[in-house]
Every structure is written in structure tokens, then in C-alpha cells.
Amino acid sequence: MLYFIMIIDLSVPIENGMPYFPGDPQPKIEKIEKEDYVIHSLLLSTHTGTHVDVPFHFISNGKKLDEIDLTRFSGKAYVLDAEGKNIHSIELPSNVDILLIYTGTSKLWKNGWTMDNYATIDEEFAKLLVRKGYKLVGIDSPSIGNSKVHRILLSNDVLIVENLSSNLEKIKGKVVDFISLPLPIKGVDGSPIRAIAVVRNDETHPGK
């Protein structure tokens, strides 16, 4: 059997004019020209673009970014197709580490993205994700849900990745190796990440 590996970039680009969550700092990239070279200054928040939330984001005594082992940010993932569906009626796999939820919201990135037309999960579904034992949940939306949803997940050490790109649609229903690497920033509640999916041709639906 022919064996192949494909890498899918699941991160949105960081650039001037990009969407950002209301109340967060507006991202800004500024070119600085020196005598014979160029550098750039960056104004970002810990939640710019594709990013990870860690417990300290909502839990006052929760773990900060630098207190979490890097292995917690990556693992075997299933990509759930929830676009236009009742998410409560979808059976979830148990033998993966990570659940990535495709809602279709990412199609609106820079194309009508607003804070009143994005998909989220509710508190009951968040509790189900905790019971399933996932270590990380990702979504192609600017926020996974309200404050209660965040607290349910983060208080149980379930990390949250938000703003996955529309490339997630390409791997709906697949099992992938999900890799997300935060910046090594001390004492913070999250970080922009570079998120990728490694797709192998021998991986299909994981079953129950």
C-alpha cells in the first residue's frame, strides 16, 4: 500500500487588519528600517489569531502557560463535522486525545466575521467533553463558548484552541496528528500558536 503524509496548516495568518476579539488589543505589525537591515515590531495579545487558552485564563489559581507540559498541546485528534448539525446528536470517539470541532464559522474569517454570527458549544456539551477525557478541544470559531463553558473545560485541565482556520474543513471525519506549539511566554493565560494537522493515509474514523 502506498503510504503518504500530508501536512495541513490550521492557523490563520497574523497580519494588519485581521479580525480580533472586541476588547482585545488590535494586532499591529510595524516595519522598522535600520541602516542596512529591517526588523518588525509586533503588537499582539495572548489571544491573537489561532491561539490556546490555558486554565489561568479563567481560573485564578489555574496553571499558567509555562506550567503546562508541551505534550499537552498535541496528540491524536478526531475532526468532528458539526456544521449545521445538532452537536448533541453526534457520537464522539473515546480513543483519541483531542477533539477538533469544525463548525463552518471559519469560512467567515475576513469575510463577514462578527461577534454575533459564530458557532459555540454549550455547557452540557462541555461537560460531555470532560467526561470523554479529552486533553484539548479546538474549534474554528473565535470563542468556544461563554464564560461557563470556558470554566468547565479549563477547571478540568482541558485546554482550548480557538480560531482554527477553514482548512479544518479538508479533514472532516479524519483522525490526524494535531500539533500546536505556543510561544514560550512565562506567567500568561494563553498564546498564539502555529497549529498543524499531520494526515496519514492509514488513519480513518477512530470508532468508539
Side-chain angles (χ1 to χ4, degrees):
M1 181 182 69
L2 183 65
Y3 185 78
F4 71 90
I5 295 177
M6 178 170 56
I7 295 177
I8 305 290
D9 191 353
L10 299 177
S11 308
V12 298
I14 294 176
E15 57 187 331
N16 287 324
M18 68 184 292
Y20 62 99
F21 203 87
D24 288 359
Q26 182 175 356
K28 183 179 180 181
I29 304 172
E30 186 172 312
K31 181 180 179 182
I32 302 173
E33 296 188 4
K34 299 293 187 177
E35 183 176 345
D36 58 352
Y37 64 92
V38 169
I39 62 173
H40 290 77
S41 67
L42 305 176
L43 175 60
L44 308 173
S45 83
T46 50
H47 299 266
T48 295
T50 306
H51 65 274
V52 64
D53 297 354
V54 302
F56 189 53
H57 184 41
F58 270 89
I59 312 300
S60 60
N61 62 346
K63 289 183 179 179
K64 300 179 177 68
L65 182 67
D66 57 299
E67 297 171 336
I68 299 172
D69 192 273
L70 270 180
T71 59
R72 296 282 299 172
F73 298 95
S74 302
K76 193 72 68 178
Y78 177 66
V79 182
L80 181 72
D81 181 9
E83 184 178 17
K85 299 176 182 177
N86 177 2
I87 201 167
H88 292 277
S89 66
I90 305 174
E91 200 158 2
L92 302 180
S94 299
N95 55 347
V96 292
D97 303 313
I98 293 169
L99 188 71
L100 305 178
I101 305 171
Y102 175 73
T103 68
T105 298
S106 52
K107 295 176 183 177
L108 299 173
W109 183 257
K110 295 183 69 176
N111 185 32
W113 186 95
T114 68
M115 292 310 298
D116 58 8
N117 65 347
Y118 65 92
T120 60
I121 67 171
D122 60 24
E123 295 152 46
E124 287 307 309
F125 195 73
K127 292 175 183 177
L128 175 60
L129 299 179
V130 172
R131 292 196 298 271
K132 282 287 186 179
Y134 301 125
K135 67 179 182 180
L136 183 150
V137 176
I139 193 167
D140 68 325
S141 185
S143 176
I144 199 165
N146 61 25
S147 296
K148 290 182 180 179
V149 167
H150 278 81
R151 290 182 188 280
I152 289 167
L153 295 172
L154 296 174
S155 65
N156 287 281
D157 287 326
V158 181
L159 304 181
I160 302 168
V161 167
E162 296 166 327
N163 265 337
L164 290 168
S165 80
S166 59
N167 282 340
L168 197 63
E169 183 178 22
K170 298 176 181 178
I171 49 175
K172 294 183 300 186
K174 292 186 179 294
V175 175
V176 300
D177 292 322
F178 179 71
I179 300 172
S180 65
L181 295 176
L183 298 171
I185 310 172
K186 283 187 170 291
V188 296
D189 64 299
S191 169
I193 60 172
R194 189 64 181 264
I196 66 170
V198 179
V199 186
R200 308 174 193 273
N201 67 339
D202 60 339
E203 293 178 325
T204 54
H205 192 290
K208 310 298 186 294

